[in-house]
Every structure is written in C-alpha cells, then in structure tokens.
Amino acid sequence: MDFLLDNWYWAALAVVTGTWLLVDMVRSAGDKTQLSPVEATLLINREDAVVVDVRDIGEYQQGHIPNARHIPLA
C-alpha cells in the first residue's frame, strides 16, 4: 500500500490508460462500419477486397491505393 501512496501518479496513469483502452475496445466492438488499417490490409491481401475511393478526381490523381476503384462522391 505504501508503494501506491508513494507513486500515486503512476497508479493514476495506469488506471486512466487502462480505462481508455477498455472504452476504445468496447466502442470499436459495437461499431462495424469502420475498419482499422490492419483489418483493411488483411481483407485486401487475403480476401481480394475491393477498395472504393470516393474522393474528388484531383485528390485521387495525387495519390491512391493501387487498384482502387474511383467513384466520385459527387
């Protein structure tokens, strides 16, 4: 107990970061509309996912994912 009292700031940091990670994990588990970069890479490499780029033509020409299909949002 003395350790926690002497180092309360480290204990508080551990609680805050742990809580932040848990909240992020719960939020991402419920929201299936967005992919993480790792999930997107796995889908593209393993399951031949199709990437649709909806940016303007100028932004698309500046740079895009190889083999991405361009369908302007407008």
Side-chain angles (χ1 to χ4, degrees):
M1 193 65 170
D2 288 334
F3 177 79
L4 288 177
L5 291 176
D6 292 340
N7 299 297
W8 65 269
Y9 40 88
W10 293 115
L13 179 65
V15 169
V16 169
T17 55
T19 303
W20 177 60
L21 288 172
L22 284 174
V23 167
D24 188 50
M25 185 177 67
V26 168
R27 188 176 353 144
S28 66
D31 183 16
K32 297 297 181 187
T33 60
Q34 294 184 358
L35 292 176
S36 71
V38 172
E39 291 171 328
T41 303
L42 288 175
L43 285 173
I44 292 168
N45 290 340
R46 294 185 180 168
E47 299 184 25
D48 285 336
V50 176
V51 178
V52 179
D53 194 330
V54 296
R55 297 178 296 163
D56 293 330
I57 188 73
E59 293 174 331
Y60 180 78
Q61 289 175 345
Q62 287 178 357
H64 58 85
I65 295 174
N67 300 324
R69 301 226 172 110
H70 183 239
I71 302 173
L73 190 57

